[in-house]
Amino acid sequence: MLFCPTSSIAALSTPPAARTILQHHRSNMSSRSSSPSPVSTDSTVSTLNPMPMDDAADKTDDEECVLSQGRICICSSCEQERQKLELSRKRRRTSRASSASASSASLLSPDRCHEVGKPDPDAERLEKMTSACKTILTCIGEDPNREGLLKTPERWAKALLFMTSGYALTPEKVINDAVFTEDSHKEIVVVRDIDIHSMCEHHMVPFTGRIHVGYIPNGKIIGLSKIARIAEVFSRRLQVQERLTREVADAIEKAVEPLGVGVVIESSHFCMVMRGVQKVGASTVTSCVRGCFESNQKTRAEFFSLIGRSGGR
């Protein structure tokens, strides 16, 4: 049997690279101690083992941030900021997608879209009106292609559609549930001097003026602005003043079922100012009273005094 020292066994079983490290370690140990001691295989294994993973992670966490140097930094603080930024971006993208879906849904609602493959009725109507206006301009002796009239037919068509926009509205739509329960008030409520602009259906020229509305609540009241909107619904149509007065009174009566309602309209008609008798100072007054405004003379007189008129019907 052959006997080999421990150091010889280590030298034979150690790879060349590890042997170089071992020799370097021995020389260091020799310089530190006057009596060198043999290096065991345990120390060799300890020297060759890599750094534990936990220690490496701690070292990464302790690394200095280099973001201020214009370099990409992977320190823990920068990594947390990146994660927060990415989460914020995801939330914004989700919010934008939700808004886009809601917008698409509103654009595709039955009130705003038309059947695919068929022309837009609004555009078709505007085109017909524009063409008709060109014909009218020609009939009165004008040149529709003159510079000042090139866009007049389209402007006229849009203006007329606006002035008759009440056909697309109803009192129920403009009231929008703005009717409230209120039992404490049993006196007259008056909204006066509401400007109105309408079109005489006989000559299609304007008549303008003011409308005064009063009612006595019977447990329900209506939003004050809704009274003006109801007047707008019916005035933005081809009208006669007498019917307009009655329609506003009917709408108020239907909405709040009051004890009484009164409506008075004062206006100037351009059909008797610009043409015909041409009486500039003439004005027309119409009234409509329902319920206790009609049956009780004192109540009616109070209403007329509140709106600044002394007469009855």
Side-chain angles (χ1 to χ4, degrees), residues 15-284:
R19 198 178 302 139
T20 303
I21 297 173
L22 181 61
Q23 291 174 354
H24 179 69
H25 179 71
R26 283 176 177 171
S27 62
N28 289 340
M29 294 297 293
S30 299
S31 62
R32 294 178 183 176
S33 174
S34 57
S35 57
S37 59
V39 179
S40 65
T41 52
D42 292 339
S43 64
T44 304
V45 174
S46 175
T47 304
L48 295 176
N49 280 343
M51 182 184 297
M53 294 300 294
D54 292 341
D55 294 343
D58 293 340
K59 185 175 180 181
T60 302
D61 291 342
D62 294 338
E63 287 181 354
E64 182 181 357
C65 180
V66 295
L67 191 64
S68 60
Q69 303 174 16
R71 298 162 57 189
I72 298 176
C73 183
I74 57 171
C75 72
S76 59
S77 298
C78 290
E79 187 63 27
Q80 290 176 3
E81 288 298 323
R82 272 191 291 272
Q83 291 175 359
K84 290 180 182 178
L85 183 60
E86 183 61 27
L87 182 60
S88 177
R89 287 173 178 169
K90 287 182 179 178
R91 288 174 178 170
R92 284 199 297 270
R93 285 196 294 266
T94 304
S95 177
R96 290 195 194 106
S98 301
S99 300
S101 299
S103 177
S104 299
S106 65
L107 289 173
L108 295 176
S109 64
D111 294 338
R112 299 192 58 178
C113 62
H114 59 279
E115 188 176 347
V116 176
K118 291 187 177 182
D120 185 350
D122 290 338
E124 187 177 5
R125 179 170 53 176
L126 186 65
E127 183 179 355
K128 287 181 178 180
M129 294 176 68
T130 301
S131 177
C133 184
K134 290 180 181 178
T135 302
I136 294 172
L137 289 173
T138 302
C139 290
I140 65 174
E142 266 291 356
D143 177 14
N145 297 317
R146 183 164 61 83
E147 181 183 4
L149 297 176
L150 284 176
K151 294 186 177 181
T152 297
E154 184 178 355
R155 293 192 191 102
W156 172 84
K158 290 180 178 179
L160 186 58
L161 287 174
F162 172 76
M163 289 186 286
T164 57
S165 58
Y167 288 114
L169 299 173
T170 63
E172 293 77 16
K173 186 179 291 187
V174 298
I175 291 173
N176 195 25
D177 297 327
V179 175
F180 312 98
T181 302
E182 181 56 63
D183 296 323
S184 61
H185 193 84
K186 298 291 184 179
E187 302 298 328
I188 299 178
V189 177
V190 174
V191 180
R192 66 181 191 180
D193 297 323
I194 302 169
D195 290 330
I196 59 166
H197 307 278
S198 192
M199 298 276 289
C200 169
E201 68 179 27
H202 299 145
H203 303 95
M204 286 188 65
V205 291
F207 67 90
T208 63
R210 297 176 298 172
I211 182 171
H212 317 287
V213 179
Y215 74 99
I216 298 179
N218 187 24
K220 291 189 292 185
I221 60 174
I222 187 172
L224 297 178
S225 67
K226 303 307 179 183
I227 295 176
R229 292 189 184 278
I230 289 173
E232 191 81 359
V233 168
F234 294 109
S235 64
R236 292 295 184 186
R237 302 178 181 185
L238 297 182
Q239 279 286 11
V240 293
Q241 184 172 324
E242 297 85 348
R243 183 173 67 237
L244 174 58
T245 310
R246 186 180 68 253
E247 286 177 338
V248 173
D250 289 342
I252 298 295
E253 190 171 33
K254 182 180 178 180
V256 294
E257 299 176 346
L259 296 174
V261 59
V263 177
V264 173
I265 296 180
E266 308 171 67
S267 67
S268 175
H269 291 249
F270 280 57
C271 59
M272 60 181 298
V273 172
M274 297 177 63
R275 57 163 297 283
V277 295
Q278 302 181 48
K279 302 302 180 183
V280 178
S283 65
T284 304

